[in-house]
Amino acid sequence: MAHIEFLDETLRDGQQSLWGMQMRAGMALPMTPTLDKSGFRVIDLAGSSMFEVQIRVNSENPWESLDLLTESMPNTPIRGGMRANASVTFGVTPDAMMDMWMRQLNVHGCRSFWIYDVLFNIDKMHRLAKVAKEFGSEVAGSIMFTSSPVHTDEYYADKADKLSVCPDIDTILLYDTAGVLDKERMQTLIPAIQANARGKPIEFHSNNILGMSGKAYCDAIELGVRILHTASRPMANGPSVPSTEIMTRNVELLGHTHNIDTSMLPPVAEHFEKVGKAAGFLVNQHHEYDVLSASHQIPGGMIGTLRAQMAKHNLSHRMDDVLMETAKVRAELGYPGMATPFSQLVGIQAVLNIVNGERYKIVPDEVIQYAAGFYGDPVAPIDENIYDRIMSSPRAKKVAANPPQQPTEEELYKEYGTRDPDELILRALMPEADLKRMREAGPVQRDYPMLSSPELAEVGRLMKVAQAPLVQIESQNLSVTLRK
């Protein structure tokens, strides 16, 4: 019998995978006190992409949102996520700003962090872990799993050794973005990681894209994993992680124990299902096993981005071609792990190859930066012919001649014209026009109207099919006017 701890992903990976990070603070605040009392080891919440979407889409101040949410959950450590070398877009962020970003997340209440770097710039991960320890925060050093000929047990064991040797790293997080880990693979992988983890606990996060992650969690428990990442059922499965509801049940049926108060789970699920439906977001998702997904290994949230790009070019019917091209580009670029930023870089390059009808005719700056080594050393060598195509593209010479700069903190304050680190980070994240709209929108709303009823559902259906420029509906209880 083992004791299993749960880390809640409802407010971070769940909403990132299903809602595109568009969850407003007011959508969550009615239920965060309940989550806080449910017995989770940690509640995952913050990241730079959340900040960007809060500003750009919701016109809400993410620092204010973060304060409201952390204050509503005083009993559970709140987690922030950090890519070791970037907090802004898909480029490379100066170390001084990354340190500032870590400190400010701590100032605003985060006390647990997962730090990752797909190319394993271990020194940067260690540096950020040390900054987190200035506040006494817990740190998970992340191993971003991807399946390829070069990502062997030995490769990951080496990374576990280099992460666990750092005294500031408390746990090792095995993170399977594509949900491809099965029992056969884990039977050698997890022992190899454990052997070099210096006794530090192993966390497991698997996005349920292939519908296999619940089984993988059960198998991982047999292999010694004791911390599982789950989400409230409406925010779980599909491209998200398995549900807390099914995994607490599975843990019990397997004879293990946990600290989750399962009586707290239904009201949380009911709330987020209602909010998701009212806002028009995905809830209650399930995916079928797709062999192509195991090949391209694109995270679930990125699939939606690719579909939107293809629709923009009226090429939705060629989505399978893009996915197959993604698998090919991934191999040509040396099998980078399919997590931010490389899932985006590989996917966008694949779209451009299909849309332009000529492979690598257009190469984004970020792909050039990757080939030039700005992100770190590729896991495997880039295909020589493809490397030549990339570095002979029109912008390659200019991009390669401008490697990332490393300004000091004082130089950053001068560059962004403020001495307030919160404000500096916002200015670095988003254009001033977006920040202006955010400020004009006023304080963050603390609730969200549950606009859900049969009548409104009918209006929603009507909005999708109405062709006339003006539609009016009158009934005893409802009056609706739709104008295009």
Side-chain angles (χ1 to χ4, degrees):
M1 178 184 292
H3 185 73
I4 307 303
E5 296 182 284
F6 286 86
L7 183 148
D8 181 70
E9 289 287 359
T10 303
L11 307 181
R12 205 280 299 172
D13 192 64
Q15 69 116 346
Q16 180 174 6
S17 297
L18 301 182
W19 295 9
M21 275 295 189
Q22 296 183 59
M23 182 184 289
R24 297 171 179 268
M27 293 175 168
L29 282 169
M31 275 300 120
T32 48
T34 305
L35 277 175
D36 187 41
K37 298 173 185 175
S38 297
F40 289 102
R41 183 180 194 274
V42 171
I43 295 174
D44 199 2
L45 176 61
S48 60
S49 58
M50 183 192 87
F51 269 49
E52 292 183 55
V53 174
Q54 289 298 307
I55 298 168
R56 185 180 66 251
V57 178
N58 296 336
S59 293
E60 290 191 345
N61 187 320
W63 290 122
E64 183 183 350
S65 296
L66 181 57
D67 288 341
L68 289 170
L69 291 166
T70 55
E71 289 166 6
S72 71
M73 297 181 284
N75 302 304
T76 310
I78 303 303
R79 176 166 284 189
M82 303 197 70
R83 178 156 58 101
N85 61 357
S87 64
V88 183
T89 68
F90 301 134
V92 178
T93 301
D95 292 348
M97 185 173 289
M98 292 304 302
D99 293 350
M100 185 185 301
W101 173 236
M102 172 62 86
R103 289 193 180 96
Q104 293 312 111
L105 286 176
N106 275 278
V107 166
H108 286 270
C110 292
R111 284 297 180 271
S112 176
F113 293 87
W114 66 288
I115 304 173
Y116 80 98
D117 190 314
V118 179
L119 296 184
F120 291 98
N121 291 285
I122 300 290
D123 58 332
K124 293 181 181 291
M125 298 175 75
H126 285 185
R127 194 195 72 252
L128 285 171
K130 185 175 182 179
V131 175
K133 278 293 183 271
E134 294 174 7
F135 298 83
S137 292
E138 175 192 63
V139 177
S142 304
I143 292 177
M144 308 301 288
F145 178 81
T146 190
S147 179
S148 84
V150 295
H151 287 87
T152 62
D153 291 349
E154 294 75 18
Y155 175 85
Y156 286 120
D158 174 67
K159 305 311 176 189
D161 180 60
K162 290 175 179 175
L163 288 171
S164 66
V165 73
C166 177
D168 300 317
I169 289 178
D170 304 289
T171 66
I172 302 298
L173 169 57
L174 177 58
Y175 200 121
D176 181 12
T177 60
V180 295
L181 275 171
D182 56 19
K183 187 172 186 178
E184 181 181 8
R185 183 72 181 86
M186 287 192 295
Q187 281 178 324
T188 58
L189 175 66
I190 290 178
I193 291 173
Q194 287 174 324
N196 284 355
R198 292 176 171 82
K200 296 182 178 183
I202 309 296
E203 303 183 27
F204 189 25
H205 180 117
S206 180
N207 293 96
N208 204 16
I209 295 170
L210 300 180
M212 305 193 309
S213 297
K215 174 64 164 57
Y217 278 13
C218 294
D219 295 333
I221 292 172
E222 288 185 21
L223 295 167
V225 170
R226 297 293 179 261
I227 305 170
L228 302 178
H229 292 202
T230 59
S232 178
R233 180 164 277 144
M235 310 298 293
N237 298 312
S240 181
V241 291
S243 74
T244 308
E245 288 84 346
I246 195 60
M247 287 314 305
T248 51
R249 173 178 166 80
N250 288 341
V251 163
E252 292 167 3
L253 290 173
L254 290 170
H256 306 302
T257 59
H258 60 77
N259 285 339
I260 300 300
D261 182 349
T262 55
S263 69
M264 298 281 189
L265 302 181
V268 174
E270 180 181 2
H271 172 80
F272 283 108
E273 182 174 19
K274 286 182 177 179
V275 171
K277 289 181 176 179
F281 297 144
L282 295 176
V283 292
N284 302 321
Q285 293 298 290
H286 297 280
H287 277 185
E288 296 179 310
Y289 185 85
D290 183 346
V291 172
L292 184 56
S293 293
S295 178
H296 61 66
Q297 297 186 50
I298 299 174
M302 184 61 189
I303 292 287
T305 301
L306 291 180
R307 292 190 190 282
Q309 290 176 338
M310 295 304 288
K312 181 179 179 180
H313 294 284
N314 296 317
L315 290 172
S316 297
H317 61 288
R318 298 200 63 188
M319 187 63 189
D320 277 354
D321 293 336
V322 168
L323 296 179
M324 287 186 282
E325 177 67 11
T326 297
K328 188 174 182 179
V329 170
R330 176 174 172 260
E332 292 168 341
L333 294 184
Y335 296 103
M338 294 300 280
T340 301
F342 303 117
S343 55
Q344 290 86 351
L345 268 59
V346 171
I348 291 169
Q349 185 65 67
V351 169
L352 291 171
N353 290 354
I354 295 296
V355 168
N356 290 297
E358 179 182 339
R359 305 189 74 240
Y360 298 96
K361 179 180 180 180
I362 297 177
V363 180
D365 287 359
E366 291 80 6
V367 175
I368 299 170
Q369 291 170 345
Y370 168 75
F374 291 0
Y375 293 95
D377 295 329
V379 180
I382 299 172
D383 179 279
E384 289 185 8
N385 292 328
I386 299 303
Y387 179 84
D388 290 342
R389 289 290 304 273
I390 292 171
M391 300 312 288
S392 62
S393 61
R395 286 188 50 78
K397 187 175 182 180
K398 180 177 181 180
V399 171
N402 291 278
Q405 300 299 302
Q406 289 291 351
T408 65
E409 185 174 296
E410 190 60 37
E411 289 170 335
L412 288 171
Y413 282 129
K414 184 176 181 181
E415 177 183 352
Y416 289 99
T418 179
R419 301 295 303 183
D420 181 348
D422 284 355
E423 178 65 18
L424 187 154
I425 290 169
L426 295 184
R427 293 181 185 181
L429 280 171
M430 300 299 295
E432 179 57 34
D434 291 316
L435 296 177
K436 184 174 183 291
R437 279 195 301 273
M438 175 196 79
R439 295 184 182 102
E440 291 174 346
V444 170
Q445 296 298 308
R446 299 181 180 227
D447 56 14
Y448 183 78
M450 294 291 192
L451 299 177
S452 181
S453 68
E455 293 82 6
L456 285 169
E458 187 61 37
V459 170
R461 287 191 288 270
L462 180 62
M463 290 173 68
K464 294 178 182 178
V465 301
Q467 300 296 321
L470 174 65
V471 177
Q472 291 181 309
I473 299 176
E474 295 282 348
S475 70
Q476 184 176 355
N477 299 318
L478 186 68
S479 175
V480 177
T481 299
L482 302 177
R483 300 180 188 274
K484 288 190 176 180

